[in-house]
Amino acid sequence: MEAKYRPEEIEPRWQARWAEDKTFEVEANPSKPKYYLLEMFPYPSGRLHMGHVRNYSIGDVVSRYKTMRGFNVLHPMGWDAFGLPAENAAIENKIHPNQWTKQNIAHMKSQLQRLGYSYDWRREFATCDPEYYRWEQMVFIEMLERGLVEKKRSWVNWCDKCQTVLANEQVEDGYCWRHGDTLVRQKEMAQWFFKITNYAEELLDYTNKLPGWPEKVLIMQRNWIGKSHGAMVKFSLEKSYDDAGAKVEDITVYTTRPDTIFGATFMSLAAENPLAALLSQGAEQEAAVKRFCDRVRNEDKIKRSAADYEKEGVFTGAYCLNPLTGWKMPIYVANFVLMDYGTGAVMAVPSHDQRDFEFAKKYGLRIVPVVQPEGQPALDGEKMTEAWEGPGTMINSAEYNGLANEEFKKVIGSRLEKEGRGGPTVNYRLRDWLISRQRFWGAPIPVVYCDKCGTVPERKDRLPVKLPAEAELDPTGGNPLAKLDWWVNTTCPKCGGPARRETDTMDTFVESSWYFDRYACSHYDQGILNAEEVGYWLPVDQYIGGIEHAVLHLLYARFFTKVLRDLGHLKFDEPFTRLLTQGMVILESVKCPEHGYLFPQSVQDGKCPVCGKPVIVGRKEKMSKSKKNTIDPEEMVKKYGADTVRLYLLFEAPPDKEIDWSDDRIQGQFRFLHRLWTFAARHRDGLIEANRLLTNPAPGPAADEQALFRKTHETVRDVTDRVDRWMLNTAIASLRELFNEMSGFEPGEGEDRTRRYGLLRFAFERFLLMLNPFCPHLCQELFAELEIPGSAFKLPWPSFDKRAVAREEFELILQVNGKLRAKTMAPVDASEEELKQIAFANERIAEQTAGKAPKKVIVVKGKLVNVVL
């Protein structure tokens, strides 16, 4: 056995052996309990980043651990391969996006394999494979047949930089989710939508049935779905309007305050509402309305809805009638009204809504208070300085005066319903999922347009509708599919006559909404899913990925699962039983005033390597290519080995907390693994000899033997518990404690040497078994050196003897800054250091102290531990 630890030799050798032995390949086996572990698959950008490596390292630990615990573990990997970056890169590099994507996949796959992850690569696919999106197109057709897909004209989010539309979920604070510097504007187009709103109530209801999900994600989804209770109210127009042969005679609004209807004095429309143009048509205000709408539609929607946004509007020239007061209400277009909320029309009650109040004051509109707050002077519309938005008693509301406003909400809802002018209803913020994209690199929408038959889905036996390799990508934007006459012109699947293909492609989030189902039967070619395989493996037991997907991928995946269930392809309601949102890896940015952002590794002595000027050190934040605050995983693996990189990312913080990258600390992990290697090399012969001579090693009466025996069993207990609770960093800490105990144990040269080496081997074998999920290459190599046969991946996880760890215990009080945060049991003979470790291993204390360095830790033996931050 070499004296020096050489991961660059050890790791590739075992990776090749695992591939040759098909170590990680699994099949459905009803006689074994299954465990489906999945990390969010990557976009093939060309290189892994540290966020990827952390995500996949967390998953790999659990995959290996669950396998050792006797589970049949499915751990697949593939590629989220469609999307705009591939198309833009193809344009820039003058190659086809398919070629660019495949090259990137090949490189990233080699990076993943070099990290030793336990993937069943037989199940690999890329979402740009026609064999994959063929079945997605079939799901689209089945959804169309069920009425779950609709094409309609709508005001949509348009990104001028992407030259495509975006779903509401892809607009972040008014900007494109991909760029962050491109303001999204509104554009009216005919687009395809998935009717996710049909599932709004079920999606909301099940957020209370997912105990394995982080509450912060569930809250984000509840807020996005945005359920509210209110009423629909019809306001008759003063005169009817002709809209393409149909008469428009009223405006319907949704309001959460039907109790204020007697105070509604004007109507506000969103700039995107078609009624704005219709009601102003032919009026002297028509040109002003058009100019106003054109301007407002291109403004940031987030700013438009902000409380401090200046309220502006323009009169349409039209009026409607308050259904209860008969008042003639002027109809305005207002910049603070959004089409996304309700019906895009708002009954304006300036006395009880601050935005309406500011608007009414600006344009000299009537203010009539109808809810009088308790114990305050009577409200007077002419004297009010702000709206009253709280509860109170009805006034100026005819026969309803004196009722509590909450009681009146029920009364007025019933009256509106009885009179056919509205009634109680539930509203959702959630809007249907816009899936059309005006780009090339996506799954074609399997629909044709026939002059005789109309809109017709492609025949299922003609799927997939493939992307043509001949398409030429235009740097100025636009969909190249629309320019390919030979591809666009086709035959109608219904009548056989001439027809035109849909040239929009599907949102790439469609592919990622069901890929995890297809992993269970990735090579099945007889249908969308293999019922037997899916029935065994699904749903996913543990999903791992970033919280940034809370109302994008994670919400869409839940919706798609329910659709596939209702189409008869799945028999469960939710895709992911448990969800872990891993923390980011952060690093400070470094910037030269003259040369911009620099890679931290290039900076020497705080100076720019180009001009020698002092650099500006920025705050620590998520690693990003644009700010160059990145660390290349490939370089780290070359320098320290995959096991060191994995161990560092797993030890630095709990999986759901961020990691502050440190070159010194990753070097510390490398030194630890080198000490481990040196320890094994030093004791190898004695450990092997003891194994040959002893069948049942046991401790003698010596105190150090008793201590090592107890520590081994305690560590098995603690590491098992911590891995089960995802406390991977403290599990590693426990293993390091056991290693320190072993390192201080000297077998000696006397007559007890064999027995003592037997005990040391007993401890060391269990140590390696528990370290194996974290550092599989090194552990497998040491198993081979110690002549332990078989793959460590499939060896059983060690168990502990409860009698060996039995100690008299007391209730330990755990405090943070003097306040009680938790209680736990601790051994009465525990040292001060052990009590500290017990405290910091506690989940509640870990939450309270995450990312904060304690000023001191006060230990009162036999009583409490107080962490002072």
Side-chain angles (χ1 to χ4, degrees):
M1 184 175 178
E2 285 195 39
K4 187 175 181 181
Y5 172 45
R6 300 184 187 277
E8 70 279 6
E9 297 176 4
I10 295 169
E11 292 174 352
R13 184 170 69 248
W14 283 108
Q15 289 157 10
R17 176 74 175 272
W18 293 333
E20 181 184 344
D21 293 347
K22 302 178 180 180
T23 301
F24 309 128
E25 294 181 7
V26 293
E27 301 292 347
N29 183 356
S31 67
K32 288 187 70 175
K34 68 92 180 179
Y35 192 85
Y36 187 173
L37 175 77
L38 185 64
E39 305 98 45
M40 292 181 185
F41 63 170
Y43 175 77
S45 60
R47 301 189 74 82
L48 294 177
H49 57 67
M50 276 299 173
H52 286 133
V53 179
R54 187 182 190 201
N55 185 357
Y56 305 145
S57 296
I58 293 167
D60 197 57
V61 167
V62 179
S63 169
R64 292 172 178 274
Y65 171 72
K66 288 292 184 180
T67 299
M68 295 175 76
R69 295 301 300 267
F71 287 88
N72 192 25
V73 177
L74 175 61
H75 190 206
M77 178 51 71
W79 311 95
D80 190 10
F82 272 140
L84 189 60
E87 192 166 335
N88 289 342
I91 292 171
E92 184 179 341
N93 297 296
K94 296 181 173 56
I95 62 172
H96 195 278
N98 185 61
Q99 181 183 352
W100 185 86
T101 300
K102 296 299 184 185
Q103 289 174 354
N104 288 350
I105 286 174
H107 182 67
M108 291 179 73
K109 182 176 180 178
S110 70
Q111 289 183 302
L112 289 174
Q113 291 174 325
R114 180 62 186 85
L115 283 153
Y117 297 133
S118 55
Y119 296 129
D120 183 350
W121 284 107
R122 293 174 308 151
R123 299 173 185 271
E124 174 194 15
F125 58 77
T127 56
C128 62
D129 296 338
E131 295 78 13
Y132 178 78
Y133 67 75
R134 167 193 181 184
W135 305 114
E136 185 175 298
Q137 290 173 338
M138 189 172 289
V139 173
F140 179 98
I141 292 170
E142 291 186 6
M143 290 175 70
L144 187 63
E145 293 168 347
R146 284 286 192 98
L148 291 172
V149 184
E150 179 183 18
K151 189 172 189 181
K152 58 186 177 182
R153 290 196 69 80
S154 174
W155 288 95
V156 297
N157 305 305
W158 179 266
C159 174
D160 288 309
K161 195 167 185 178
C162 293
Q163 285 289 295
T164 190
V165 298
L166 305 173
N168 286 344
E169 293 83 354
Q170 293 164 327
V171 180
E172 298 177 351
D173 294 333
Y175 291 83
C176 173
W177 71 293
R178 285 195 184 279
H179 303 115
D181 61 350
T182 306
L183 191 65
V184 172
R185 64 184 178 92
Q186 296 296 294
K187 186 174 182 178
E188 189 176 25
M189 300 175 70
Q191 300 286 279
W192 288 98
F193 291 83
F194 282 164
K195 292 187 177 180
I196 191 173
T197 53
N198 286 20
Y199 290 83
E201 186 61 34
E202 187 181 356
L203 288 167
L204 181 63
D205 180 50
Y206 269 82
T207 62
N208 299 308
K209 301 176 183 178
L210 294 169
W213 282 46
E215 185 62 21
K216 59 187 175 183
V217 174
L218 298 175
I219 289 172
M220 291 169 74
Q221 291 204 359
R222 290 177 194 130
N223 291 340
W224 189 259
I225 295 167
K227 182 179 181 179
S228 63
H229 294 271
M232 287 292 187
V233 186
K234 288 184 180 179
F235 290 76
S236 299
L237 290 165
E238 184 185 28
K239 66 176 185 178
S240 62
Y241 293 79
D242 184 67
D243 183 21
K247 283 199 171 184
V248 179
E249 298 181 329
D250 52 47
I251 298 176
T252 301
V253 306
Y254 169 76
T255 177
T256 58
R257 294 295 305 273
D259 54 312
T260 63
I261 192 168
F262 278 91
T265 58
F266 64 97
M267 179 72 65
S268 300
L269 302 177
E272 298 83 3
N273 195 319
L275 286 173
L278 179 66
L279 300 183
S280 61
Q281 193 171 22
E284 64 178 76
Q285 293 91 344
E286 182 176 9
V289 169
K290 184 178 186 307
R291 285 194 303 272
F292 181 81
C293 290
D294 288 345
R295 174 171 65 84
V296 171
R297 281 195 295 263
N298 290 324
E299 292 179 357
D300 182 355
K301 286 196 292 185
I302 301 298
K303 291 180 181 177
R304 283 168 60 185
S305 59
D308 59 354
Y309 191 64
E310 184 181 354
K311 312 302 182 289
E312 293 183 300
V314 60
F315 179 45
T316 63
Y319 295 86
C320 62
L321 303 176
N322 187 309
L324 296 188
T325 65
W327 291 336
K328 187 176 173 181
M329 299 167 53
I331 302 172
Y332 282 76
V333 183
N335 63 349
F336 59 87
V337 180
L338 301 179
M339 196 66 197
D340 289 344
Y341 182 78
T343 64
V346 174
M347 72 171 203
V349 184
S351 54
H352 302 293
D353 183 279
Q354 186 60 29
R355 296 179 309 168
D356 295 343
F357 179 84
E358 293 171 19
F359 192 90
K361 282 290 189 181
K362 184 169 186 173
Y363 294 99
L365 299 170
R366 190 177 181 189
I367 300 174
V368 179
V370 293
V371 179
Q372 173 63 41
E374 295 269 345
Q376 294 190 26
L379 295 180
D380 183 335
E382 293 184 3
K383 297 178 181 178
M384 292 177 72
T385 58
E386 62 181 357
W388 170 253
E389 296 179 328
T393 304
M394 301 311 302
I395 58 173
N396 297 323
S397 300
E399 67 268 31
Y400 304 107
N401 288 343
L403 280 179
N405 73 301
E406 288 298 324
E407 183 181 352
F408 180 48
K409 282 183 182 179
K410 302 172 186 175
V411 174
I412 192 59
S414 298
R415 175 175 168 177
L416 290 168
E417 188 171 39
K418 187 181 294 184
E419 295 177 359
R421 290 188 283 185
T425 191
V426 173
N427 187 62
Y428 298 91
R429 177 177 181 257
L430 181 68
R431 289 292 176 262
D432 282 334
W433 177 8
L434 170 58
I435 65 151
S436 293
R437 295 294 179 269
Q438 291 68 47
R439 303 295 301 207
F440 168 71
W441 194 234
I445 293 175
V447 163
V448 304
Y449 302 101
C450 173
D451 292 337
K452 179 180 177 182
C453 305
T455 302
V456 183
E458 185 56 272
R459 281 207 332 252
K460 293 179 182 178
D461 63 355
R462 299 206 309 198
L463 298 178
V465 178
K466 291 185 180 181
L467 282 173
E470 296 84 350
E472 293 185 11
L473 305 185
D474 187 348
T476 62
N479 189 342
L481 291 177
K483 302 171 187 176
L484 291 178
D485 290 341
W486 69 266
W487 187 85
V488 173
N489 296 319
T490 185
T491 56
C492 174
K494 192 171 183 181
C495 71
R500 302 173 309 283
R501 289 197 187 281
E502 171 63 77
T503 58
D504 284 356
T505 54
M506 285 191 245
D507 179 10
T508 56
F509 278 96
V510 179
E511 282 86 65
S512 60
S513 292
W514 74 290
Y515 77 103
F516 42 87
D517 300 320
R518 190 68 190 174
Y519 275 147
C521 52
S522 57
H523 300 296
Y524 184 62
D525 62 359
Q526 301 302 306
I528 295 169
L529 295 169
N530 180 306
E532 184 178 347
E533 296 281 337
V534 168
Y536 175 76
W537 289 114
L538 273 294
V540 175
D541 295 282
Q542 180 67 57
Y543 200 32
I544 307 173
I547 196 171
E548 65 270 18
H549 295 295
V551 293
L552 283 162
H553 162 59
L554 289 170
L555 186 61
Y556 293 152
R558 295 184 59 222
F559 159 67
F560 226 73
T561 296
K562 296 175 190 303
V563 168
L564 289 172
R565 175 201 64 193
D566 292 348
L567 294 175
H569 300 297
L570 298 175
K571 294 183 178 179
F572 51 89
D573 302 310
E574 290 287 339
F576 314 121
T577 303
R578 292 180 58 85
L579 171 69
L580 172 73
T581 54
Q582 88 279 358
M584 297 182 296
V585 184
I586 63 172
L587 181 64
E588 58 197 15
S589 59
V590 181
K591 191 175 185 180
C592 170
E594 184 175 340
H595 295 98
Y597 287 107
L598 304 168
F599 289 108
Q601 305 95 310
S602 69
V603 176
Q604 299 293 329
D605 299 323
K607 295 180 180 179
C608 173
V610 180
C611 64
K613 292 181 180 178
V615 298
I616 301 167
V617 179
R619 64 185 179 89
K620 293 175 179 177
E621 55 190 314
K622 180 182 179 181
M623 290 184 177
S624 70
K625 293 178 183 177
S626 62
K627 294 187 176 179
K628 296 187 178 180
N629 62 332
T630 58
I631 299 294
D632 184 354
E634 200 165 350
E635 289 300 315
M636 291 296 102
V637 170
K638 286 179 182 176
K639 189 172 183 180
Y640 299 114
D643 282 342
T644 295
V645 174
R646 291 163 57 119
L647 190 66
Y648 168 73
L649 292 170
L650 295 164
F651 180 64
E652 278 300 289
D656 60 337
K657 306 300 180 186
E658 65 185 23
I659 287 177
D660 184 356
W661 181 271
S662 165
D663 289 340
D664 290 341
R665 291 179 69 82
I666 193 172
Q667 290 173 18
Q669 296 303 325
F670 180 72
R671 288 193 296 270
F672 168 70
L673 295 185
H674 199 282
R675 288 201 310 273
L676 171 56
W677 178 267
T678 303
F679 172 86
R682 176 188 168 204
H683 292 292
R684 178 181 179 274
D685 293 342
L687 294 171
I688 291 174
E689 180 185 8
N691 189 54
R692 290 173 180 160
L693 298 175
L694 292 176
T695 57
N696 187 25
D704 61 345
E705 294 184 40
Q706 293 290 330
L708 179 58
F709 185 72
R710 176 189 292 277
K711 187 64 175 178
T712 302
H713 284 281
E714 286 177 341
T715 304
V716 173
R717 177 197 63 189
D718 294 345
V719 171
T720 304
D721 173 67
R722 291 170 187 181
V723 175
D724 281 337
R725 292 194 289 138
W726 293 84
M727 299 168 66
L728 305 185
N729 58 319
T730 58
I732 296 169
S734 291
L735 287 169
R736 293 186 68 143
E737 288 176 27
L738 177 57
F739 180 72
N740 290 338
E741 189 86 24
M742 291 187 297
S743 298
F745 184 84
E746 285 297 335
E749 295 297 332
E751 58 183 19
D752 295 330
R753 181 178 185 277
T754 301
R755 185 188 72 246
R756 288 173 67 85
Y757 255 121
L759 178 60
L760 187 60
R761 181 175 177 119
F762 172 82
F764 194 43
E765 280 189 20
R766 280 147 186 78
F767 169 83
L768 291 177
L769 283 169
M770 292 184 286
L771 184 65
N772 177 61
F774 301 90
C775 302
H777 310 88
L778 173 59
C779 291
Q780 183 67 75
E781 180 74 8
L782 292 179
F783 269 108
E785 289 288 351
L786 294 178
E787 300 180 1
I788 301 172
S791 167
F793 180 74
K794 295 182 179 179
L795 288 172
W797 186 260
S799 58
F800 69 93
D801 187 337
K802 291 182 179 179
R803 293 170 298 179
V805 299
R807 298 167 79 176
E808 189 178 345
E809 294 183 320
F810 73 99
E811 187 175 63
L812 178 66
I813 294 171
L814 304 178
Q815 298 177 336
V816 176
N817 291 337
K819 294 183 178 180
L820 176 66
R821 296 301 181 188
K823 295 179 181 179
T824 190
M825 301 308 294
V828 293
D829 57 348
S831 67
E832 185 171 313
E833 188 60 33
E834 285 178 313
L835 292 176
K836 288 181 183 179
Q837 291 167 4
I838 291 169
F840 284 105
N842 182 273
E843 196 167 358
R844 185 79 175 113
I845 300 302
E847 289 176 3
Q848 293 283 318
T849 60
K852 303 169 186 174
K855 289 184 179 178
K856 59 181 176 179
V857 180
I858 301 168
V859 178
V860 180
K861 290 194 70 174
K863 188 174 182 181
L864 64 82
V865 176
N866 179 24
V867 182
V868 181
L869 300 178

